Amino acid sequence: MISDITAARDAALADIAAACALDDVAAASARHAGRKGRLAGLKKGLGSLDSIEDRRSAGAAINEAIAAVEVALADRRTELAREATARLVESERLDLTEHVVAPARGRAHLVTQAWERLEDVFVGMGFRVAEGPEVETDWHNFEALNMGEGHPARGEFDTLFVDHVAPGGSVGSTLLRTHTSPVQIRTMLEQDPPIRIVAPGRVFRRDTPDATHMPVFHQIEGLVVDRGISMADLAGTIDAFTKSFFGRGWESRLRPSYFPFTEPSAEFDIQRPDGSWIELGGCGMVHPNVLRAGGVDPEEWSGFAFGFGIDRMAIMRHGVADIREMFADDLRFTEQFS
């Protein structure tokens, strides 16, 4: 009987190994491990053996054979199920690999390109990028910057006021910021010197759109506050920026001017490699009244500030004749700048 048990086990294992699907495994299980299987029949025949020793040996062999068959059935089921899952995954697989070639559509706006490049240049010079709200209070936008109510310089901004009553204020005390200079005040109020920040952002004025003006445009302003800061530091910073942004062939200069929030004040120009000069923006030493409004003692600290238009930088860098082209959404224009 031992030889019959061995033959039945080997036949069962070979049948299971040849199964190609889960249904084949189920059929093999019924043939070899079920109640009507060959091993079950041999187990019923144990009673026909004469000696107890023969029955014990044959019973142990049958149990081992049944256990081996059950292990083989479980292993084959697992293997076939894994293969089925792999086939399903392969059949439903999607190739989500990004194209390595340049996309046919979509690119950063010309102003965004200039904005990001300016940030990179100033961060490389040791500045931190600061942000502030576009809807500002009259105090942050004007009064803290040495432009009190009735100051003639306020008329140059042609402000867009918001119909809102600010906490503790009155109608008309809230507005769309006319420059990003309020970020300087907020930074000084929130951070102790030394301070080195640039504040890029969107600003709003009642300007009529033309080749050089838009009612919504973009500015970037810089502020440095530390001990012993002088106009020499400002001039050096402007010159280093000019060469970093435009190239080694460009130069800068300062011309005396007037701004209520700086004293002394200057306009700064840049010189093209062909020798022509272009006005870029305003700058100067931070007025003591502005430092006080920011909670900074002007007897201990000094600083300089500068600011210019990001849109203007973009049209100058790329030779765009009309600023309105950048906001017309004409693909013939935008596709020229990658």
Side-chain angles (χ1 to χ4, degrees):
M1 178 173 277
I2 297 297
S3 61
D4 291 339
I5 294 172
T6 302
R9 181 201 63 194
D10 294 344
L13 295 178
D15 196 14
I16 294 167
C20 297
L22 292 175
D23 289 342
D24 296 336
V25 176
S29 177
R31 286 193 298 271
H32 302 288
R35 293 182 178 179
K36 296 183 179 180
R38 186 176 179 186
L39 287 173
L42 291 171
K43 192 172 185 178
K44 293 177 181 178
L46 290 176
S48 62
L49 296 177
D50 296 332
S51 68
I52 296 176
E53 189 65 31
D54 289 342
R55 288 196 294 273
R56 183 181 295 112
S57 299
I62 289 177
N63 289 336
E64 290 175 3
I66 291 174
V69 169
E70 289 177 347
V71 169
L73 287 169
D75 290 345
R76 191 56 178 159
R77 287 192 191 96
T78 301
E79 183 179 1
L80 290 174
R82 187 181 299 115
E83 292 175 358
T85 300
R87 288 193 298 271
L88 179 62
V89 170
E90 181 62 26
S91 66
E92 296 181 353
R93 185 174 67 88
L94 298 176
D95 185 2
L96 301 179
T97 305
E98 294 184 0
H99 293 289
V100 296
V101 298
R105 300 177 63 183
R107 54 180 49 82
H109 190 275
L110 188 57
V111 172
T112 303
Q113 294 179 36
W115 183 324
E116 292 176 347
R117 179 173 170 80
L118 286 167
E119 285 186 347
D120 289 343
V121 169
F122 281 114
V123 168
M125 294 171 61
F127 286 77
R128 176 179 65 85
V129 178
E131 297 179 341
E134 294 181 352
V135 178
E136 266 293 5
T137 66
D138 181 275
W139 187 86
H140 286 92
N141 196 81
F142 289 125
E143 292 188 28
L145 293 165
N146 205 33
M147 289 182 284
E149 187 174 355
H151 194 291
R154 293 178 66 156
E156 300 174 4
F157 288 87
D158 211 2
T159 309
L160 292 161
F161 288 94
V162 177
D163 186 11
H164 170 70
V165 179
S170 59
V171 175
S173 64
T174 308
L175 47 87
L176 298 180
R177 66 182 181 186
T178 58
H179 47 182
T180 56
S181 299
V183 180
Q184 300 179 23
I185 299 297
R186 292 182 177 274
T187 300
M188 287 189 287
L189 290 171
E190 296 170 0
Q191 174 187 337
D192 293 330
I195 296 171
R196 290 174 178 80
I197 62 147
V198 287
R202 185 169 56 173
V203 298
F204 311 83
R205 296 182 189 175
R206 291 181 182 270
D207 287 339
T208 301
D210 59 28
T212 57
H213 297 85
M214 291 291 287
V216 180
F217 54 103
H218 305 81
Q219 284 187 341
I220 185 168
E221 304 215 6
L223 173 69
V224 172
V225 178
D226 207 336
R227 292 185 174 90
I229 296 295
S230 68
M231 284 290 288
D233 299 303
L234 171 59
T237 300
I238 295 297
D239 191 61
F241 157 72
T242 300
K243 288 179 170 55
S244 295
F245 189 83
F246 292 100
R248 288 292 177 183
W250 295 69
E251 301 293 337
S252 65
R253 71 181 181 188
L254 302 183
R255 292 181 292 106
S257 185
Y258 167 77
F259 300 105
F261 28 79
T262 53
E263 180 60 37
S265 301
E267 296 277 1
F268 64 93
D269 305 331
I270 57 174
Q271 185 182 36
R272 296 189 181 100
D274 64 6
S276 61
W277 289 91
I278 306 172
E279 177 187 332
L280 191 62
C283 61
M285 300 299 294
V286 181
H287 197 289
N289 290 344
V290 176
L291 290 174
R292 292 189 189 97
V296 176
D297 184 359
E299 298 297 327
E300 180 180 0
W301 307 92
S302 59
F304 66 76
F306 58 85
F308 50 87
I310 297 176
D311 312 64
R312 182 172 174 78
M313 293 291 290
I315 63 177
M316 288 170 52
R317 181 176 176 82
H318 297 284
V320 179
D322 192 326
I323 193 173
R324 291 171 293 188
E325 293 284 357
M326 296 196 297
F327 304 98
D329 293 332
D330 188 334
L331 290 178
R332 293 171 298 178
F333 174 81
T334 58
E335 286 179 348
Q336 299 179 58
F337 310 100
S338 58

